[in-house]
Amino acid sequence: MRADRDTHFEVEQFYYEEADLLDAGRYADWLDLLADDLDYWMPTRTNRLRRQQALSVAARGEAAFYDESKESLAWRIRRFDSGMAWAEDPPSRTRHLVTNVLARHVDPAEHPGFTGDDLLVRSAFLVYRNRLEREENVFAGSRTDILRRTATGLQVARRTILLDQNILLAKNISTFF
């Protein structure tokens, strides 16, 4: 069932706050928006003929750009802060744009462990990244999230990120989506 107008507005505001935290480099604060049992996954893609489109996105257990938990993301963030993440020293400047937000209530039969109060949300994103003097990257794609309602607000419990490109021209992918 589609979320009502107030819930939809709440979800959009949540995403705008998330984008602002990421763009400001406030990664520790961003972690607070993630559930402890987070599943953060960005599978790779391949070009396939139309009749093989179901095979164009890597399955679980196959190649992925990200296959993370909250704990592993926290480790990455601690590494940024340690000065040992050479790919982010000096740090990148990013701009996260989120649009085309569609929010529905979770069907617990399709998503065991979640309730009808949780939200299944699809969105489109564009992430611009600039690093050093001449490195520029643009990442476009979609996200499918399950947002869990908690006493303190919404949290991302599941995130699947699907980039539109299958070959990344970036020298590294240290950006969070």
Side-chain angles (χ1 to χ4, degrees):
M1 177 172 77
R2 183 172 287 165
D4 63 40
R5 182 178 2 163
D6 291 340
T7 302
H8 192 274
F9 180 77
E10 178 187 17
V11 168
E12 286 182 325
Q13 294 304 302
F14 175 82
Y15 283 146
Y16 299 156
E17 177 185 357
E18 179 187 27
D20 188 56
L21 291 172
L22 289 170
D23 291 341
R26 295 176 50 200
Y27 303 120
D29 293 332
W30 174 65
L31 280 174
D32 292 338
L33 301 180
L34 309 178
D36 289 341
D37 63 341
L38 173 73
D39 179 38
Y40 186 91
W41 185 52
M42 181 191 289
T44 59
R45 295 184 86 153
T46 56
N47 288 329
R48 298 284 184 151
L49 297 173
R50 189 173 303 276
R51 67 180 176 271
Q52 297 176 319
Q53 282 302 297
L55 302 172
S56 68
V57 177
R60 286 287 182 168
E62 295 180 349
F65 294 113
Y66 286 105
D67 191 357
E68 306 283 343
S69 64
K70 183 174 182 175
E71 185 177 323
S72 65
L73 290 173
W75 180 86
R76 285 179 184 263
I77 290 166
R78 284 192 301 275
R79 193 165 160 261
F80 282 171
D81 294 340
S82 74
M84 298 303 293
W86 60 268
E88 279 300 316
D89 195 14
S92 298
R93 290 175 297 280
T94 62
R95 185 67 52 212
H96 289 72
L97 306 175
V98 181
T99 187
N100 296 11
V101 176
L102 298 171
R104 297 187 179 281
H105 290 277
V106 167
D107 179 351
E110 291 180 22
H111 301 279
F114 292 96
T115 71
D117 288 336
D118 299 323
L119 298 163
L120 179 65
V121 183
R122 287 191 38 89
S123 61
F125 67 84
L126 186 70
V127 177
Y128 169 81
R129 180 176 78 163
N130 179 275
R131 187 168 178 278
L132 302 172
E133 293 179 13
R134 294 188 179 96
E135 278 185 43
E136 286 185 314
N137 303 112
V138 176
F139 303 99
S142 65
R143 299 186 306 194
T144 302
D145 293 343
I146 295 182
L147 302 182
R148 181 180 292 137
R149 189 169 298 285
T150 69
T152 58
L154 297 173
Q155 285 189 324
V156 179
R158 303 286 178 269
R159 174 163 287 169
T160 300
I161 305 145
L162 191 56
L163 292 175
D164 289 338
Q165 62 263 51
N166 64 333
I167 302 292
L168 296 183
L169 301 178
K171 292 180 181 176
N172 65 49
I173 186 165
S174 55
T175 303
F176 299 118
F177 298 88

